[in-house]
Amino acid sequence: MDLFAYETHLSEKEKAILMDLLKYRVMTTEMIEKRYFPKKSNYINVLLHRMRKNGFIKSSILKKSRKGRKGYAYHMITETGKECLIRHDLSVEGLGKTIYVHEYQVANLLLANEALLEYESMGWQVWDSRKVKTTYNLDYRSNIQGLLISPKGKEYGLYTLETRVTENVVGKIQQEISRNKEQINNYMILAKGADSYKLFIEYGIKENEQNNKKALTTLGELIIEPFNINFVKRKTFRDEKEWIYRVCKKLNIKIKSMEMKETRQSFPVIVEYAGEEMYLVDVTDSDLNKYRDIQIYNKSISNRTWEKGRRLLVITLGIDTVANLMLDNNQELPYVEHITIGGGMIQEICQESKKDTDIVNK
């Protein structure tokens, strides 16, 4: 007979949920349900109630998170929950040094976790902000919210923007990116609202000689995308080439080459559009480095005889950002032909691609 009564036994799902809460610090009921109960069941509420009753988690309501309705419920692990994992012989090494989250941090952390969980479900590796800061020796006050590592090993520093953000917040994030771009070459900024999306692009492009402010650049990719569009594209297409192929098919653009085959070729994709051979530049991801490359090309094309006089066919989202409006300025960028596509067309391209894939797999 046991001398001591063993504490409440944890099911495998409870263990997994507690480990997730230790890693991500805060998750909504919807996040947990999507991860562990995809077939919609009230059991999620029963399970969370039991875990809360046993003192393993604590739950709260995110104020003003749903207009005219009760806010979203979110959950955090407690010290009791963490100790329970240890007693169940689960390793918590490197996790949970700081498990508590201040109320003012919750909304932003949930937004970041939404992105991290989506990417993890797609087979990417994800690091939370604590691991990124420790690994790259970044300031603990940094705003960086995580790291996304593609199946091919490409790393992206992650920032998420709420519906509205201030120029001060955007400025701090962009200063961080400039400061850390030698350590983390690629970045992904995902915006929940049009205002924050436009502001980040505008602030990243503009220069100010008086304040010695330069346009934001990185050594790799600098992607700025609306939340939903980013996930839809990543879930549908394995890489950028597959996306470009589908876009060109939709827009009746003939692809001539997708590799750097010519000496001193400026852009990898060569297409034929309206009877003219052009370079295709896909900026639907609003990569600020691509906008910079477009400007540089336009300034020097007259001196580049090897480019065969090719103009640029630039595809962007149909959103009036400062960067996209700049592309329509024929005096500043005379070598640009600008095409826009909307969210509806992106959905169509993804659906058509999925149908073709389903037919091939049958």
Side-chain angles (χ1 to χ4, degrees):
M1 184 177 70
D2 291 337
L3 294 176
F4 299 97
Y6 192 69
E7 66 179 291
T8 305
H9 175 71
L10 289 180
S11 69
E12 292 305 312
K13 276 202 169 129
E14 286 175 310
K15 291 176 188 176
I17 290 169
L18 287 177
M19 287 297 289
D20 272 353
L21 288 175
L22 192 60
K23 178 179 179 180
Y24 294 105
R25 289 188 285 175
V26 57
M27 295 172 69
T28 63
T29 303
E30 285 73 16
M31 288 177 182
I32 297 170
E33 182 177 41
K34 185 176 180 180
R35 198 162 166 84
Y36 295 105
F37 302 93
K39 293 183 178 179
K40 296 288 180 182
S41 166
N42 192 50
Y43 184 63
I44 177 65
N45 295 315
V46 174
L47 186 63
L48 291 173
H49 175 74
R50 184 167 74 230
M51 294 171 73
R52 189 162 48 248
K53 185 178 178 181
N54 288 327
F56 300 147
I57 66 171
K58 64 176 183 178
S59 307
S60 300
I61 299 296
L62 186 60
K63 297 175 182 177
K64 299 179 181 179
S65 55
R66 289 200 283 192
K67 191 174 181 180
R69 299 171 61 189
K70 184 180 179 181
Y72 290 103
Y74 65 89
H75 316 278
M76 294 184 283
I77 192 171
T78 63
E79 288 292 348
T80 301
K82 181 181 175 183
E83 289 166 6
C84 188
L85 287 174
I86 295 170
R87 284 196 286 271
H88 276 75
D89 296 324
L90 292 169
S91 174
V92 298
E93 187 177 351
L95 296 170
K97 289 183 180 178
T98 53
I99 64 174
Y100 293 113
V101 179
H102 292 291
E103 189 175 353
Y104 72 88
Q105 297 175 305
V106 170
N108 200 244
L109 187 53
L110 284 173
L111 193 58
N113 286 345
E114 184 179 346
L116 292 171
L117 288 164
E118 283 283 2
Y119 270 91
E120 190 171 50
S121 73
M122 289 187 273
W124 291 48
Q125 293 181 53
V126 300
W127 295 1
D128 78 323
S129 61
R130 294 165 296 179
K131 185 173 181 179
V132 180
K133 292 172 188 176
T134 301
T135 302
Y136 288 102
N137 195 29
L138 305 181
D139 190 320
Y140 74 94
R141 295 165 295 186
S142 296
N143 290 286
I144 193 165
Q145 293 169 302
L147 192 79
L148 306 172
I149 307 173
S150 76
K152 293 183 178 180
K154 198 167 190 176
E155 298 181 352
Y156 293 85
L158 173 69
Y159 291 90
T160 59
L161 306 176
E162 296 182 65
T163 306
R164 286 186 172 83
V165 292
T166 64
E167 189 169 311
N168 183 47
V169 169
V170 168
K172 286 181 179 178
I173 291 173
Q174 295 194 5
Q175 285 172 7
E176 272 184 31
I177 291 173
S178 294
R179 191 165 58 243
N180 301 324
K181 65 183 179 182
E182 297 284 345
Q183 296 158 284
I184 303 174
N185 296 162
N186 307 290
Y187 288 87
M188 203 177 292
I189 295 90
L190 304 182
K192 267 289 186 181
D195 290 343
S196 55
Y197 172 77
K198 289 181 178 180
L199 178 61
F200 196 94
I201 293 171
E202 179 181 359
Y203 195 84
I205 279 182
K206 71 179 182 181
E207 298 185 338
N208 190 320
E209 292 183 5
Q210 290 182 334
N211 298 331
N212 198 30
K213 182 189 177 303
K214 297 180 179 179
L216 180 64
T217 61
T218 62
L219 301 179
E221 296 177 44
L222 182 51
I223 293 169
I224 305 145
E225 280 189 309
F227 238 72
N228 294 337
I229 286 177
N230 178 273
F231 296 139
V232 166
K233 285 170 63 179
R234 296 282 177 179
K235 287 179 179 179
T236 307
F237 304 103
R238 291 169 296 181
D239 52 36
E240 188 177 12
K241 282 186 179 180
E242 192 173 299
W243 158 250
I244 289 174
Y245 170 79
R246 288 290 173 178
V247 171
C248 288
K249 183 178 179 181
K250 185 71 175 177
L251 298 175
N252 295 316
I253 298 169
K254 182 181 178 182
I255 297 174
K256 301 194 72 175
S257 171
M258 296 185 75
E259 305 290 343
M260 288 282 200
K261 291 184 177 180
E262 299 178 4
T263 304
R264 295 184 292 186
Q265 185 177 324
S266 291
F267 298 93
V269 184
I270 300 175
V271 299
E272 186 178 305
Y273 179 72
E276 181 182 350
E277 188 174 276
M278 301 180 176
Y279 284 127
L280 178 73
V281 189
D282 170 48
V283 200
T284 54
D285 59 5
S286 298
D287 186 333
L288 295 189
N289 293 326
K290 291 179 184 175
Y291 286 114
R292 178 199 60 190
D293 291 343
I294 290 167
Q295 289 179 303
I296 292 172
Y297 182 86
N298 267 262
K299 288 177 181 177
S300 57
I301 183 60
S302 57
N303 298 320
R304 295 184 176 185
T305 54
W306 61 85
E307 302 284 4
K308 300 180 181 178
R310 290 191 186 104
R311 294 195 301 142
L312 304 182
L313 180 61
V314 182
I315 303 177
T316 71
L317 295 180
I319 302 175
D320 291 338
T321 64
V322 169
N324 287 347
L325 292 173
M326 172 189 72
L327 297 173
D328 295 323
N329 188 330
N330 292 329
Q331 290 184 329
E332 289 288 327
L333 301 173
Y335 295 98
V336 167
E337 181 78 22
H338 182 201
I339 297 177
T340 64
I341 60 176
M345 182 177 285
I346 290 176
Q347 289 283 2
E348 287 177 17
I349 292 169
C350 292
Q351 288 168 4
E352 288 167 6
S353 176
K354 190 174 185 306
K355 281 181 183 178
D356 290 348
T357 303
D358 290 343
I359 291 170
V360 169
N361 291 334
K362 280 184 177 178

